[in-house]
Amino acid sequence: MYCDHCGAENRNNANFCHKCGTDLSALLKNEKKSAVATLSDAPAPPPVIDESTARAGFQQILSGRYELKEFLGRGGMGMVFRGYDKQLGMDLALKFLLSRYADDLAAIESLKREAKAAMRLAHPNIVRLYNFEDTPQLKYLLMEYVRGESLAALAAKRTNRRLSEPEVIRFMCEICEALSYSHKENIIHRDIKPGNILVTTEGKVKLGDFGIALINEKAVDLETDEVSGTPSYMSPEQTLGQPLDGRTDLYSLSITMYEMLAGKPPFRGKHSRFNYISMVPDPIEGVSDWLNAILLKCLRKEPEGRWSSAEELRDVLLGKKEGGLALKAKFRPWWVVAEDLKRNELPPTAPDPEPKEDIAPPVLPRAEVQRTLAPSSASRTKQRVEKVGRYAGLLENASERDQARIAYGTTAGIIAGILLFLISKETTGIQSPRVFLHFGFTIYGGFLGVAVGFAHKKFIRGALSFSFGLFGGILTGLFIPNGLEGSLIQVQPPVSATACAAVIGALLGVADGIYCQSINYTVRCAVWGAFGGAAATILFMLIRHLFSAFWSPLPHWVILGLLLGFSIMMGIGLARKPAIEKYPSQQ
């Protein structure tokens, strides 16, 4: 029906013009009167293909050429029959639009446009589209007739609706061939699912319904303003109405692969199609890690995270390309393995003749055994010395922190000795020798604790060592006898001085063990630290006795601090061997 005002074509039952809005009700009434007046003279209408036709199962002849033989199936927008072409003498598949869409102009134009695009596709894995027939009441497609069944029907016959891995990989590789070809022709299927994949009686796979998926979307858009398709097979970008490319078909194909392997689709239940956008499927139990990794990459929500093309997916499935996947095992399809075995198969050879009795067996050369000499005693002694030096922090192969601990400890002892020398000059005659000696050991303990923090570059460790070193210096007051008189550099009793140094070394070792959170290590550090402090004091007493003739306050305090820093830090280092393996992050 055409508008009298603008001349635009409208539906026969339209009340208003879709272009200019003119009221067409009067024109509609006139056409009905005219139709009633001429009804007796009108020819018989063409046959109508609808649900009743399929239920009746009768035969009809279309255009004097195509004879309907068998009803094959029904989709959301059309019905499929097996027909016979009388002129060419071959079976065809005829797909009709349902009668309620026969007058939809947008649907018809879209079907024509997509039919022209699908007719360009000529591939062995694609159902061929031959022609589009447009009659007053029938719009249908002429397609290749495939003898076989759909992938969904094939899975329904199997136990738990599951196919084997080799079967699914072979089917999907052939579909990837079809998609690679169609994508190069700038045609996107957009409705891949098990019902649209056909398996012939020879086992060949063909992809069908090119164009119908697109007409479905156009037709439903005009009525409900929604994107059509099967929600559980649609990609997120297709659900949201975003621009599409070939990767949307890879997403739908991966959903199909998942369903064939698991026996159920990854997304199902009482969820809206928008909920599928955020849902992540679980790996399939009983399927190899290799194939699960490929499927999960296909099911990435963002198109950039999937395989870039159907050709790349096919190469990965065939084992020709790894695709950047860190896989635990390599799986190769059985038919690829069979081809390799056949290619590498050697021709049969005649059996070896029986050996004669007079032929002696060959004499094989004896294998030479090389003996490893045991290390000498001198070599073992050298290894022990290097081992002790390594853990004490003395050698080049010692760790950086062990070397820094001795260096910082020795430097801190020298600085503390210089500071005590300067303080002793300013306080001469003011304080008693006992008080100043107590103060000196406290300074040594605090400075050595700070040195530990600088060596390991850990503030908490330095604060802990400083606190315990300072506390050890304070405790030395218990070991210094009362009533000391004379010069500070002459009044230090050997026993009490040794005990004071041992207390400082033990508490610094306890701080190191507490930081590493090990009771056994704390005990070892305390023992070795006390041993280092005592050894430093004994060595200091020996040096002072040898050079007593020209002994002075400056070398007194500096040498004592140097020996305390070096000996205590080395002693704690000797207790660090087990901690190196147990606490590698604390080094």
Side-chain angles (χ1 to χ4, degrees):
M1 181 172 56
Y2 295 90
C3 178
D4 293 338
H5 184 264
C6 65
E9 185 180 3
N10 296 273
R11 297 195 304 269
N12 293 334
N13 57 350
N15 293 321
F16 297 93
C17 178
H18 71 91
K19 186 174 183 181
C20 64
T22 303
D23 187 3
L24 302 178
S25 57
L27 183 62
L28 181 62
K29 292 179 181 179
N30 294 334
E31 288 190 356
K32 288 182 178 180
K33 293 178 181 179
S34 171
V36 172
T38 60
L39 183 60
S40 59
D41 300 331
V48 177
I49 305 299
D50 211 333
E51 290 87 342
S52 59
T53 304
R55 287 194 297 267
F58 62 89
Q59 296 183 357
Q60 296 192 37
I61 297 177
L62 305 177
S63 303
R65 177 177 178 179
Y66 306 111
E67 180 180 357
L68 300 184
K69 292 287 189 181
E70 179 185 1
F71 172 71
L72 299 179
R74 181 186 185 280
M77 300 292 295
M79 304 177 65
V80 183
F81 288 82
R82 180 176 68 86
Y84 180 75
D85 189 343
K86 293 185 176 181
Q87 293 185 8
L88 298 180
M90 59 181 293
D91 287 335
L92 299 174
L94 290 84
K95 179 170 289 188
F96 300 88
L97 285 179
L98 295 179
S99 59
R100 59 177 175 271
Y101 297 107
D103 295 333
D104 195 321
L105 298 179
I108 296 173
E109 291 300 325
S110 179
L111 182 60
K112 290 180 180 179
R113 182 174 63 254
E114 299 303 334
K116 292 178 181 178
M119 287 175 65
R120 300 200 312 264
L121 300 178
H123 192 273
N125 296 114
I126 296 178
V127 178
R128 185 67 186 273
L129 178 64
Y130 297 128
N131 197 10
F132 169 72
E133 295 288 344
D134 185 3
T135 62
Q137 289 188 354
L138 292 178
K139 278 74 178 172
Y140 56 94
L141 299 174
L142 297 174
M143 300 182 300
E144 172 190 5
Y145 173 65
V146 179
R147 297 183 183 275
E149 58 187 346
S150 67
L151 196 58
L154 179 63
K157 299 178 181 179
R158 301 295 181 87
T159 305
N160 297 328
R161 302 181 59 89
R162 300 183 65 172
L163 303 181
S164 63
E165 285 191 36
E167 280 183 307
V168 173
I169 293 175
R170 183 171 66 85
F171 292 161
M172 294 311 124
C173 285
E174 295 188 26
I175 296 300
C176 286
E177 294 276 0
L179 290 178
S180 177
Y181 173 78
S182 65
H183 292 168
K184 291 178 181 178
E185 297 293 331
N186 298 322
I187 296 177
I188 305 173
H189 193 283
R190 300 197 295 181
D191 194 24
I192 296 179
K193 55 185 178 180
N196 290 339
I197 298 176
L198 304 178
V199 182
T200 67
T201 54
E202 295 82 11
K204 193 176 185 61
V205 180
K206 289 181 177 288
L207 181 61
D209 273 355
F210 273 90
I212 291 296
L214 300 175
I215 183 64
N216 280 350
E217 180 175 346
K218 293 295 182 180
V220 178
D221 282 347
L222 293 175
E223 297 183 358
T224 63
D225 196 24
E226 293 182 357
V227 178
S228 69
T230 308
S232 57
Y233 296 93
M234 291 167 56
S235 65
E237 60 269 23
Q238 184 177 355
T239 301
L240 297 175
Q242 298 175 352
L244 304 178
D245 56 15
R247 290 172 293 188
T248 188
D249 284 343
L250 299 185
Y251 185 92
S252 301
L253 179 61
S254 65
I255 297 289
T256 302
M257 294 175 63
Y258 191 105
E259 181 177 355
M260 294 299 100
L261 291 168
K264 58 183 179 180
F267 310 122
R268 67 176 186 175
K270 298 180 180 180
H271 300 283
S272 67
R273 57 190 174 94
F274 293 101
N275 289 344
Y276 297 139
I277 299 176
S278 59
M279 296 174 64
V280 178
D282 297 325
I284 306 174
E285 296 183 2
V287 176
S288 62
D289 296 337
W290 174 80
L291 193 53
N292 266 319
I294 294 177
L295 286 177
L296 295 181
K297 183 175 176 65
C298 287
L299 292 174
R300 294 285 294 273
K301 301 303 180 182
E302 65 281 2
E304 296 79 10
R306 305 169 199 156
W307 305 105
S308 60
S309 62
E311 185 176 1
E312 182 183 14
L313 176 57
R314 179 204 60 194
D315 291 342
V316 173
L317 289 172
L318 290 176
K320 298 180 180 179
K321 184 177 181 181
E322 289 292 347
L325 294 175
L327 306 178
K328 297 181 180 178
K330 178 72 180 297
F331 174 86
R332 303 187 69 202
W334 62 268
W335 63 91
V336 177
V337 177
E339 291 178 358
D340 292 345
L341 293 176
K342 185 177 180 180
R343 190 182 302 110
N344 299 328
E345 185 178 359
L346 297 176
T349 58
D352 296 335
E354 296 182 0
K356 297 181 180 179
E357 295 181 358
D358 56 347
I359 298 179
V363 179
L364 300 178
R366 297 182 61 184
E368 297 182 359
V369 179
Q370 296 182 356
R371 298 180 181 272
T372 303
L373 299 179
S376 60
S377 58
S379 176
R380 290 195 298 268
T381 303
K382 183 180 179 181
Q383 291 178 0
R384 292 193 186 99
V385 172
E386 291 180 354
K387 189 175 182 181
V388 172
R390 181 169 66 253
Y391 291 114
L394 297 176
L395 301 181
E396 294 181 357
N397 56 355
S399 66
E400 180 183 354
R401 295 288 171 249
D402 290 336
Q403 295 180 13
R405 187 181 63 251
I406 290 183
Y408 277 94
T410 304
T411 304
I414 294 174
I415 295 175
I418 295 174
L419 180 62
L420 289 173
F421 167 72
L422 297 177
I423 296 175
S424 65
K425 291 180 60 177
E426 298 295 334
T427 60
T428 302
I430 300 178
Q431 297 185 10
S432 65
R434 181 184 184 280
V435 174
F436 194 83
L437 187 60
H438 185 198
F439 173 74
F441 278 112
T442 305
I443 293 296
Y444 283 134
F447 270 67
L448 294 181
V450 173
V452 173
F454 277 100
H456 292 275
K457 298 181 180 180
K458 301 287 186 180
F459 175 77
I460 298 178
R461 190 167 193 168
L464 186 64
S465 298
F466 171 75
S467 301
F468 274 79
L470 202 63
F471 179 65
I474 295 174
L475 288 180
T476 57
L478 301 176
F479 302 95
I480 301 176
N482 298 322
L484 290 179
E485 296 181 359
S487 175
L488 283 172
I489 63 176
Q490 300 294 335
V491 300
Q492 295 179 7
V495 178
S496 60
T498 304
C500 293
V503 169
I504 294 175
L507 288 179
L508 288 174
V510 170
D512 203 67
I514 292 176
Y515 182 81
C516 294
Q517 301 179 2
S518 172
I519 298 177
N520 294 332
Y521 179 55
T522 302
V523 174
R524 287 196 301 270
C525 285
V527 173
W528 280 100
F531 177 79
T537 308
I538 294 173
L539 183 60
F540 169 76
M541 295 295 181
L542 179 60
I543 294 174
R544 190 180 68 171
H545 177 72
L546 294 176
F547 300 96
S548 60
F550 45 88
W551 196 254
S552 63
L554 179 60
H556 178 89
W557 298 110
V558 172
I559 293 176
L560 178 58
L562 184 149
L563 293 175
L564 286 175
F566 179 85
S567 184
I568 292 176
M569 295 303 172
M570 185 181 70
I572 296 176
L574 290 174
R576 292 186 59 80
K577 176 183 176 182
I580 290 177
E581 302 175 356
K582 192 172 183 179
Y583 305 101
S585 61
Q586 307 290 347
Q587 305 307 313

